[in-house]
Each structure stands twice: as C-alpha cells, then as structure tokens.
Amino acid sequence: PALVAGLAKAAGDGNPELVRVEAIAALGAVRGPDARTALLTLAAATQPRLRRAVARALGAFRDDVQVAERLE
C-alpha cells in the first residue's frame, strides 16, 4: 500500500510529465486493487501522453471487470 500511495502521488499533478508517465507505468506493473483504483482515477487526465500511459498500464488488468466497465 505504501508503494502504491507513493506512485500515485508521483503520478499526480505538480510533477513533470515524464515523472508522471513513469509512475503510471509502475502502477501498471504493481497491479493489485489499490493500483487499479489509482489508475482509474488518473484516467481522467487531460494530457494525451498521460492518458496513453494510463491506457497502457490498465492493459495489465485484462480480466478485471471494473477496468473493462470504465473503459467502455
């Protein structure tokens, strides 16, 4: 949980875009329900590069019903 919280904070506003993209990718690698929740929250990003990173990271949750519903 502490790792996911740190990555979610790094992926949030106020950090350089590249840091945010890398944190998003790391959240996808971690997986788990906390990482999924953080990524679904980040899916509201308006920057195209961040949205692509979130979509890529959510690909790690292929069989997850919550992710599938959100991406529809």
Side-chain angles (χ1 to χ4, degrees), residues 32-33 35-37 39-40 43 54-55 57-72:
R36 177 193 60 218
T37 300
L39 287 168
L40 290 174
V54 170
L58 286 172
F61 297 87
R62 284 181 187 84
D63 299 322
D64 190 293
V65 175
Q66 288 183 348
V67 171
E69 288 174 353
R70 178 66 183 265
L71 296 179
E72 288 181 343

Side-chain angles (χ1 to χ4, degrees), residues 9-27:
K9 184 176 180 181
D13 291 333
N15 287 317
E17 189 175 80
L18 184 57
V19 170
R20 296 178 73 190
V21 167
E22 291 300 318
I24 289 167
L27 284 167

